[in-house]
Amino acid sequence: MITARKEREHSMNQSMNTADIREVVARVVAQTPVTDLHTHLYAPAFGPLLLWGIDEMLTYHYLAAEVLRVSDMPYEAYWALPKKQQAELIWRELFIERSPMSEACRGVLTALDRLGLDMTERDLNTHRDYFMDRRPEDHVDTVLKTANLKCVVMTNDPFDPLERPVWMNGFAGDKRFHAALRLDALLNDWGRACATMREWGYDTEPDLGSKTVAEIRRLLDEWTQRMGALYMAASFPPDFAFPDDSPRGRIIESCVLPAGRDNGVPFAMMIGVKRNVNPALKLAADGVGLSDVDAVARICAQYPDNRFMATMLARENQHELCVTARKFRNLMPFGCWWFLNNPSLIEEMTRMRMELLGLGFVPQHSDARVLDQVIYKWEHSRAIIAKVLADKYADLIATGWPIEENEIARDAARLLDGNFWNFLGRN
Ligand code: FIX
Ligand code: ZN
């Protein structure tokens, strides 16, 4: 009797909830504000470093790579064009001469549409009009509101001659833009970084002796504090190894990890980029390679008092990275990086991560270089995250486990915002 009633209730519950679940999850995920933990955006106080508007969107390096495949214009001739003309070429070749099928092309259209532009209009100049007399300050608010972002994290390089003076002149901060201390210059070209640090007054020598180690540590401490950096980060080639007797490995062990532990900031490792595969493509020149996930496991095992974030560029590394994250609570996998930031791969990765890690990962970051891009990057990713979540809730409902909307909201908030802040220990 009881069993029969239970079965009836169970099947009613199932049919009611599974019918609604997709719509509810999609709405809740869309309404959940995001912390975008890795972007290349800047606060308006950084002046021209903050890229925004249609010509910047069209000349995104993802689209430069695409146009240089279909156009027979020599690479150098393309790069010699003023930005406006590069944008016009891309619009003509990738949007007018053929349908804008790639994810990067579709993204431009999503962003323009959500900003309220008329997408039946194919005249680029008409779209340009919208951006003409906007102020960057206001545009930031419009875009973050449209994309429903709480805040973004910038990529901040103390060795960058354009951004360095803004920090040195006492950037007052902007609650919409947090900082991440980026260490590629220090870790991936020590000879040059050493010389630059000497010019700045640090007592450094190429040999990485104890005096130099102390000076690098001083630089890390000063810049973590100056920027209020939430984490330190670096991108690495596929042959990233750990432990490693190269300058990179030695600086990581003797400077970055002690600084991370003492200052309470994680180290984000972005592994698998082959820089400059075709140098003629400039910012679009980089490729991808398979990396060694054991290096990640070893660093997490040897430094349990440090926290590590990791994203890997090769699709083939994703499963092993997930399994490694199950073994180390000081490891947080994040995002679908760069060539993985495409719907089919986001779905595959998000599904796999959820099946292996439950809700304990950060599903996405935008990597936006142009402000307006966060609109499309997050709309497209949210839809996929919602789809995967809805499937998983449907599976739970099928066991008789009821799901309520407030539980969905709680889970979505963990994925899109809370997991990152909890991992930082700042909640
Ligand atoms: O190293 C990185 O942070 C990469 O994400 C970028 O350098 C890359 O150019 C990019 O924008 C990828 O989306
Ligand atoms: Zn990036």
Side-chain angles (χ1 to χ4, degrees), residues 38-40 155 182 270 337 365 367 369:
H38 171 62
T39 75
H40 297 267
T155 294
R182 183 73 178 230
M270 309 178 68
W337 184 21
H365 64 265
D367 235 313
R369 280 181 179 267

PDB file of all heavy atoms in Angstrom, residues 38-40 155 182 270 337 365 367 369, ligand 2:
ATOM      1  N   HIS A  38      38.719  35.528 -14.616  1.00  0.00           N
ATOM      2  CA  HIS A  38      39.883  35.828 -15.465  1.00  0.00           C
ATOM      3  C   HIS A  38      39.445  36.552 -16.734  1.00  0.00           C
ATOM      4  O   HIS A  38      38.745  35.992 -17.579  1.00  0.00           O
ATOM      5  CB  HIS A  38      40.637  34.546 -15.833  1.00  0.00           C
ATOM      6  CG  HIS A  38      41.709  34.767 -16.864  1.00  0.00           C
ATOM      7  ND1 HIS A  38      42.804  35.588 -16.652  1.00  0.00           N
ATOM      8  CD2 HIS A  38      41.843  34.302 -18.129  1.00  0.00           C
ATOM      9  CE1 HIS A  38      43.563  35.600 -17.736  1.00  0.00           C
ATOM     10  NE2 HIS A  38      42.999  34.831 -18.651  1.00  0.00           N
ATOM     11  N   THR A  39      39.848  37.821 -16.810  1.00  0.00           N
ATOM     12  CA  THR A  39      39.597  38.606 -18.017  1.00  0.00           C
ATOM     13  C   THR A  39      40.877  39.372 -18.350  1.00  0.00           C
ATOM     14  O   THR A  39      41.817  39.395 -17.562  1.00  0.00           O
ATOM     15  CB  THR A  39      38.479  39.659 -17.816  1.00  0.00           C
ATOM     16  OG1 THR A  39      39.006  40.750 -17.027  1.00  0.00           O
ATOM     17  CG2 THR A  39      37.260  39.083 -17.132  1.00  0.00           C
ATOM     18  N   HIS A  40      40.854  40.017 -19.507  1.00  0.00           N
ATOM     19  CA  HIS A  40      41.926  40.951 -19.858  1.00  0.00           C
ATOM     20  C   HIS A  40      41.336  42.361 -19.955  1.00  0.00           C
ATOM     21  O   HIS A  40      41.784  43.178 -20.753  1.00  0.00           O
ATOM     22  CB  HIS A  40      42.588  40.525 -21.172  1.00  0.00           C
ATOM     23  CG  HIS A  40      43.255  39.175 -21.064  1.00  0.00           C
ATOM     24  ND1 HIS A  40      44.577  39.024 -20.748  1.00  0.00           N
ATOM     25  CD2 HIS A  40      42.752  37.923 -21.193  1.00  0.00           C
ATOM     26  CE1 HIS A  40      44.878  37.727 -20.697  1.00  0.00           C
ATOM     27  NE2 HIS A  40      43.784  37.036 -20.963  1.00  0.00           N
ATOM     28  N   THR A 155      43.797  41.123 -15.527  1.00  0.00           N
ATOM     29  CA  THR A 155      45.100  40.451 -15.585  1.00  0.00           C
ATOM     30  C   THR A 155      46.129  41.563 -15.492  1.00  0.00           C
ATOM     31  O   THR A 155      46.227  42.386 -16.405  1.00  0.00           O
ATOM     32  CB  THR A 155      45.239  39.687 -16.923  1.00  0.00           C
ATOM     33  OG1 THR A 155      44.278  38.626 -16.922  1.00  0.00           O
ATOM     34  CG2 THR A 155      46.627  39.101 -17.098  1.00  0.00           C
ATOM     35  N   ARG A 182      49.906  39.015 -12.521  1.00  0.00           N
ATOM     36  CA  ARG A 182      50.306  38.102 -13.590  1.00  0.00           C
ATOM     37  C   ARG A 182      51.828  38.026 -13.667  1.00  0.00           C
ATOM     38  O   ARG A 182      52.508  39.062 -13.723  1.00  0.00           O
ATOM     39  CB  ARG A 182      49.713  38.627 -14.903  1.00  0.00           C
ATOM     40  CG  ARG A 182      49.957  37.773 -16.114  1.00  0.00           C
ATOM     41  CD  ARG A 182      49.123  36.502 -16.115  1.00  0.00           C
ATOM     42  NE  ARG A 182      49.366  35.763 -17.332  1.00  0.00           N
ATOM     43  CZ  ARG A 182      48.430  35.293 -18.131  1.00  0.00           C
ATOM     44  NH1 ARG A 182      47.162  35.447 -17.832  1.00  0.00           N
ATOM     45  NH2 ARG A 182      48.744  34.641 -19.224  1.00  0.00           N
ATOM     46  N   MET A 270      47.960  28.345 -15.788  1.00  0.00           N
ATOM     47  CA  MET A 270      47.222  28.223 -17.054  1.00  0.00           C
ATOM     48  C   MET A 270      48.173  27.513 -18.017  1.00  0.00           C
ATOM     49  O   MET A 270      49.119  28.122 -18.528  1.00  0.00           O
ATOM     50  CB  MET A 270      46.822  29.610 -17.549  1.00  0.00           C
ATOM     51  CG  MET A 270      46.115  30.416 -16.436  1.00  0.00           C
ATOM     52  SD  MET A 270      45.663  32.085 -16.907  1.00  0.00           S
ATOM     53  CE  MET A 270      44.406  31.758 -18.119  1.00  0.00           C
ATOM     54  N   TRP A 337      39.140  27.376 -21.228  1.00  0.00           N
ATOM     55  CA  TRP A 337      40.079  28.414 -21.649  1.00  0.00           C
ATOM     56  C   TRP A 337      40.206  28.484 -23.170  1.00  0.00           C
ATOM     57  O   TRP A 337      40.523  27.485 -23.811  1.00  0.00           O
ATOM     58  CB  TRP A 337      41.435  28.118 -20.981  1.00  0.00           C
ATOM     59  CG  TRP A 337      42.527  29.121 -21.209  1.00  0.00           C
ATOM     60  CD1 TRP A 337      42.390  30.415 -21.576  1.00  0.00           C
ATOM     61  CD2 TRP A 337      43.936  28.873 -21.072  1.00  0.00           C
ATOM     62  NE1 TRP A 337      43.633  31.011 -21.662  1.00  0.00           N
ATOM     63  CE2 TRP A 337      44.587  30.085 -21.354  1.00  0.00           C
ATOM     64  CE3 TRP A 337      44.703  27.748 -20.726  1.00  0.00           C
ATOM     65  CZ2 TRP A 337      45.984  30.213 -21.322  1.00  0.00           C
ATOM     66  CZ3 TRP A 337      46.072  27.872 -20.684  1.00  0.00           C
ATOM     67  CH2 TRP A 337      46.705  29.087 -20.976  1.00  0.00           C
ATOM     68  N   HIS A 365      35.266  31.218 -17.077  1.00  0.00           N
ATOM     69  CA  HIS A 365      35.714  32.609 -16.990  1.00  0.00           C
ATOM     70  C   HIS A 365      35.567  33.133 -18.415  1.00  0.00           C
ATOM     71  O   HIS A 365      35.503  32.334 -19.353  1.00  0.00           O
ATOM     72  CB  HIS A 365      37.169  32.679 -16.511  1.00  0.00           C
ATOM     73  CG  HIS A 365      38.146  32.056 -17.466  1.00  0.00           C
ATOM     74  ND1 HIS A 365      38.588  30.759 -17.354  1.00  0.00           N
ATOM     75  CD2 HIS A 365      38.742  32.540 -18.579  1.00  0.00           C
ATOM     76  CE1 HIS A 365      39.424  30.483 -18.340  1.00  0.00           C
ATOM     77  NE2 HIS A 365      39.533  31.547 -19.098  1.00  0.00           N
ATOM     78  N   ASP A 367      37.662  35.435 -20.161  1.00  0.00           N
ATOM     79  CA  ASP A 367      38.865  35.783 -20.920  1.00  0.00           C
ATOM     80  C   ASP A 367      38.625  36.983 -21.840  1.00  0.00           C
ATOM     81  O   ASP A 367      39.404  37.232 -22.777  1.00  0.00           O
ATOM     82  CB  ASP A 367      39.388  34.602 -21.741  1.00  0.00           C
ATOM     83  CG  ASP A 367      40.852  34.302 -21.438  1.00  0.00           C
ATOM     84  OD1 ASP A 367      41.640  35.250 -21.418  1.00  0.00           O
ATOM     85  OD2 ASP A 367      41.188  33.135 -21.217  1.00  0.00           O
ATOM     86  N   ARG A 369      38.685  40.309 -23.734  1.00  0.00           N
ATOM     87  CA  ARG A 369      39.680  41.374 -23.947  1.00  0.00           C
ATOM     88  C   ARG A 369      38.979  42.683 -24.244  1.00  0.00           C
ATOM     89  O   ARG A 369      39.570  43.750 -24.178  1.00  0.00           O
ATOM     90  CB  ARG A 369      40.588  41.034 -25.135  1.00  0.00           C
ATOM     91  CG  ARG A 369      41.659  40.074 -24.760  1.00  0.00           C
ATOM     92  CD  ARG A 369      42.605  39.718 -25.864  1.00  0.00           C
ATOM     93  NE  ARG A 369      43.582  38.809 -25.309  1.00  0.00           N
ATOM     94  CZ  ARG A 369      44.757  39.179 -24.789  1.00  0.00           C
ATOM     95  NH1 ARG A 369      45.118  40.453 -24.821  1.00  0.00           N
ATOM     96  NH2 ARG A 369      45.564  38.293 -24.260  1.00  0.00           N
TER      97      ARG A 369
HETATM   98 ZN    ZN B   2      43.621  35.063 -20.612  1.00  0.00          ZN
END
